[in-house]
Amino acid sequence: MFKRLPGDETRNLVTTTPDTAVVFRPAVVTTPAIITIVICAWRLLAGIVRAIWRHPVAVTTASTPATLALLYDWQTALLLSTPVPAGLVAWALTDRASFARWVGYRLLVWWRLVWIYRRHWHPVMTVSGLGRRLRGRDYLPRLDNVTCTSWADTVTVRMLDGQALKDWIDRTDHLAHGFGAPSCRVTVARAGRLTLTFPRRDPLATPFPALPIPAAPTVGPIEIGKQEDGQPWRLKVHGTHVLVAGATGAGKGSMIWSTIRALLPAVRAGLVEVWAFDPKLMELSFGRPLFGDRYAATPQECADLLDQAVTVMQSRAARFAGLQRSHTPTVEDPFVLVVVDEVAFLTAYQADRQLKQRISLAGPDDDGHVRLHVLRRPATRRGVRAPAEGLPPPRDGMGPAHPGEDHAGDEQPLHGLGGEPR
């Protein structure tokens, strides 16, 4: 038995009493001290260079007073360093945007990277299951870069080999709670790298007034709101169909009226016609003078008006067949926008089978003459029948009323029209 012992053979055999198990001491290779010192010095130097390269403003801010104190004394360092904070405060008060761009966000990136992400990276990756431990070694996704905006942190991550996007999407709750954010969004940056967005605040929580009516008539993309980064939210209505889903009170009505408001100059110029279907008699009824005889509320009126839209669509298709594919709005052939508030009232909740069949047989065209702007509640997908079930993107999901309630297309909201709507 002793001839088969590994390591230092029998002299390294440790035992106590004959009744206890034999304990083996593994062979240990002693690393020379000079090699250990060189490796540690190299790692320290690489870390300093990397910190200076990634965070020049933060490193300069922290190192300048210390350097002055070492070269002279603390009184001189205090005297020479005082004008710098005063100048930064004056800069921040006079031009906050440029200060945030060149100084503020850089300091915030350094602080969030050191105190939030690097500090919690190992435990969050391990507990969430995104890290792996194989043969006593930890394999973790690599934290590449962190950037900060006025409302969120953007973290670039290099995935482990063999991981998929779904592995991260299934653990967004773990990531959000682990890093102290209200939510987490995962997108693909490029092959093998992901972008994690952690909001720090909700810039759309405060209502803002309606956008001004455009001065020139246009059919899109039209500006109907703001995005979380403050950029305009433009919606394409001409040449596509739009399906909007949201719980009661999520802001579907705001999206309707923002769209109609942006199209008012084109309506006044005769380039756009808005046909309203209001089976609930609650939302579009406020615009009856605007819609005129192109407003329908009862199921019978909605079916008749939809038949008229189909007639217009088919007549234009016959006239333009072989001449043009895309539609250009003119006074003679304006763009027709069909707005349906709660499509389920005309499909799934419609008790009259004949009316339901008439509505189902009327489908949207594909050449841009007649387009649908359909709204529904996301509690069930049974309400989406023809003509709405075949709608191509885009789809806009408003905020759900309760956790777990589905979004349209399972997408998280990214836009706002003021108040709670997204």
Side-chain angles (χ1 to χ4, degrees):
M1 168 181 149
F2 289 156
K3 293 181 180 180
R4 298 180 180 178
L5 292 177
D8 295 337
E9 301 181 358
T10 58
R11 62 188 178 88
N12 290 327
L13 178 64
V14 181
T15 183
T16 54
T17 63
D19 296 334
T20 60
V22 177
V23 179
F24 296 95
R25 185 176 66 186
V28 177
V29 179
T30 304
T31 304
I34 185 61
I35 296 180
T36 303
I37 294 175
V38 170
I39 293 176
C40 292
W42 172 255
R43 290 181 177 178
L44 177 61
L45 180 61
I48 294 175
V49 173
R50 183 167 55 249
I52 295 175
W53 174 260
R54 290 185 175 181
H55 314 287
V57 175
V59 172
T60 303
T61 303
S63 62
T64 299
T67 303
L68 293 175
L70 291 175
L71 295 178
Y72 304 99
D73 50 30
W74 69 269
Q75 295 91 345
T76 304
L78 180 63
L79 181 63
L80 296 177
S81 302
T82 301
V84 176
L88 293 176
V89 171
W91 185 9
L93 294 176
T94 55
D95 192 352
R96 185 172 183 179
S98 63
F99 174 82
R101 178 182 178 184
W102 294 104
V103 179
Y105 289 148
R106 296 175 185 268
L107 293 175
L108 182 61
V109 165
W110 176 79
W111 173 255
R112 300 284 294 179
L113 175 63
V114 173
W115 187 252
I116 301 296
Y117 298 107
R118 283 186 180 170
R119 180 165 167 250
H120 298 95
W121 190 256
H122 190 287
V124 171
M125 292 296 107
T126 303
V127 174
S128 64
L130 293 172
R132 296 292 184 270
R133 185 175 182 83
L134 300 175
R135 297 180 181 179
R137 182 177 178 182
D138 291 332
Y139 293 87
L140 302 176
R142 181 177 176 180
L143 176 61
D144 277 354
N145 189 27
V146 176
T147 58
C148 293
T149 62
S150 60
W151 64 278
D153 297 339
T154 302
V155 181
T156 305
V157 179
R158 182 182 299 178
M159 296 189 296
L160 294 176
D161 293 341
Q163 284 188 333
L165 175 62
K166 187 176 184 301
D167 298 332
W168 290 76
I169 293 179
D170 293 340
R171 293 169 175 82
T172 53
D173 291 338
H174 303 75
L175 297 173
H177 291 290
F179 295 115
S183 63
C184 174
R185 300 168 190 164
V186 182
T187 56
V188 178
R190 61 179 185 271
R193 284 174 172 80
L194 300 177
T195 300
L196 310 180
T197 303
F198 296 99
R200 297 192 307 272
R201 64 182 184 89
D202 187 359
L204 303 176
T206 303
F208 52 86
L211 299 176
I213 299 176
T218 179
V219 294
I222 55 176
E223 183 178 350
I224 64 173
K226 295 181 180 179
Q227 303 182 65
E228 288 177 327
D229 58 359
Q231 298 298 317
W233 176 22
R234 292 184 172 87
L235 178 67
K236 183 180 180 181
V237 293
H238 183 249
T240 187
H241 303 285
V242 180
L243 173 62
V244 183
T248 301
K252 300 186 298 296
S254 298
M255 191 168 184
I256 288 180
W257 292 113
S258 297
T259 302
I260 296 176
R261 180 183 178 89
L263 290 174
L264 284 179
V267 172
R268 187 182 299 112
L271 301 177
V272 175
E273 293 181 357
V274 181
W275 297 24
F277 295 76
D278 191 24
K280 292 193 305 181
L281 289 171
M282 295 178 61
E283 188 68 45
L284 299 177
S285 57
F286 295 99
R288 287 185 181 182
L290 174 65
F291 307 132
D293 57 353
R294 299 182 183 89
Y295 172 86
T298 65
Q300 180 65 43
E301 293 176 349
C302 291
D304 294 340
L305 187 59
L306 192 57
D307 288 339
Q308 296 180 30
V310 172
T311 301
V312 172
M313 176 184 66
Q314 293 176 347
S315 63
R316 291 187 183 180
R319 286 191 292 112
F320 290 104
L323 299 177
Q324 66 180 45
R325 176 176 177 80
S326 59
H327 172 248
T328 301
T330 62
V331 177
E332 294 77 15
D333 295 302
F335 166 56
V336 178
L337 178 64
V338 177
V339 181
V340 183
D341 183 19
E342 192 52 68
V343 67
F345 278 82
L346 301 178
T347 56
Y349 304 152
Q350 179 55 245
D352 192 326
R353 292 186 177 180
Q354 294 183 353
L355 289 177
K356 186 175 181 179
Q357 184 177 9
R358 286 179 58 191
I359 295 173
S360 300
L361 292 177
D365 73 335
D366 199 27
D367 57 6
H369 295 270
V370 181
R371 290 298 176 183
L372 289 176
H373 193 90
V374 181
L375 282 80
R376 72 172 179 94
R377 288 174 293 179
T380 175
R381 298 184 187 274
R382 294 188 306 105
V384 182
R385 305 292 186 188
E389 65 181 355
L391 294 181
R395 295 171 293 180
D396 290 280
M398 317 302 284
H402 307 285
E405 209 168 342
D406 67 330
H407 289 279
D410 298 326
E411 297 175 354
Q412 295 195 9
L414 294 176
H415 312 96
L417 295 158
E420 295 182 358
R422 295 291 183 273

